[in-house]
Amino acid sequence: MKMMKALTLLCLVLSGVGALQVNIPQELYESARGDDITLPCSFTPKTPLKETDLVIISWSAEAAEAGAEEVLTTFAPSTPICKIQGKAEYGQNINLTCLSKEGSPPPTYKWESRDVRNMPRVPDPRTTDKGGILSLISISRETSGFYICTSSNKIRSATCSVTLSVMPPSMNIGPTARIIGGAVAMSIAVIIVICCSCEKNTS
């Protein structure tokens, strides 16, 4: 198990009035990094306080090694990064990936899809969504649209999105262009020969 830094907090009550019962309501407080948190501490004297009694309440904290389940400060998922892996062409299989670099507890991922009109749609039955990877099988023009990934843990969530445009397969027009060019050149040559023959016959 990965070890992380934790804080052990102690509520100290100093008094000259004999025994006090000090209470912290919870053993564990969780907060997202950067957020404010209020840690309550209360005390109950064994005997009623007098106006001349002095009570001082202070907090102390010390760092300690602890397992993940004991960490006081948790981390919201960082904004995930969405990517397209593979060629967005008809008939291809591609993956859409989603990953947050930070998050404690580790975030879970969920993809949703909208068509080119930005309307929600039901995913293809062959589509799989696991661990932030959305696998799209034998894509077509209908697969085009907007894909949104949500990365979330119990602190909060964050999203990213990609626009997928599926196109016909790329065509290599080089050889075709050379064939057409050669045919045109031959046609021009034949026309020239015919014209020359006609002029000779006329003479």
Side-chain angles (χ1 to χ4, degrees):
M1 181 179 294
K2 184 177 179 181
M3 303 301 289
M4 303 179 68
K5 289 291 185 181
L7 289 178
T8 300
L9 299 174
L10 302 176
C11 180
L12 304 179
V13 180
L14 304 178
S15 173
V17 295
L20 295 174
Q21 181 179 353
V22 180
N23 179 52
I24 301 176
Q26 298 176 211
E27 293 184 358
L28 177 64
Y29 290 87
E30 295 184 350
S31 173
R33 181 175 55 183
D35 286 356
D36 296 333
I37 184 171
T38 300
L39 303 175
C41 174
S42 62
F43 69 93
T44 303
K46 294 295 184 181
T47 58
L49 294 177
K50 301 176 182 178
E51 293 185 359
T52 56
D53 291 335
L54 176 64
V55 178
I56 300 174
I57 300 179
S58 64
W59 285 90
S60 69
E62 60 181 11
E65 294 293 331
E69 71 278 6
E70 298 173 342
V71 173
L72 178 67
T73 303
T74 54
F75 301 87
S78 58
T79 300
I81 298 174
C82 289
K83 294 182 179 180
I84 300 175
Q85 293 182 343
K87 290 184 177 181
E89 296 180 348
Y90 293 176
Q92 296 289 327
N93 300 336
I94 64 173
N95 291 329
L96 306 185
T97 63
C98 175
L99 179 65
S100 290
K101 293 184 177 180
E102 291 186 340
S104 176
T108 57
Y109 303 94
K110 182 176 177 59
W111 283 94
E112 63 175 299
S113 172
R114 294 175 175 268
D115 61 23
V116 292
R117 297 170 299 173
N118 202 26
M119 299 294 293
R121 60 183 171 188
V122 178
D124 188 295
R126 297 170 297 174
T127 299
T128 60
D129 183 359
K130 185 177 180 180
I133 300 175
L134 183 70
S135 298
L136 304 176
I137 308 300
S138 189
I139 59 177
S140 63
R141 182 178 63 181
E142 287 71 27
T143 316
S144 298
F146 310 100
Y147 291 80
I148 303 98
C149 173
T150 301
S151 170
S152 60
N153 62 14
K154 62 183 179 180
I155 304 303
R156 61 173 64 100
S157 61
T159 63
C160 64
S161 62
V162 293
T163 300
L164 180 64
S165 299
V166 183
M167 306 296 290
S170 301
M171 297 180 61
N172 185 357
I173 65 172
T176 304
R178 286 195 293 270
I179 292 173
I180 295 175
V184 171
M186 287 294 293
S187 299
I188 294 174
V190 170
I191 292 172
I192 292 175
V193 170
I194 293 174
C195 290
C196 290
S197 298
C198 291
E199 289 180 358
K200 289 181 180 180
N201 291 336
T202 302
S203 299

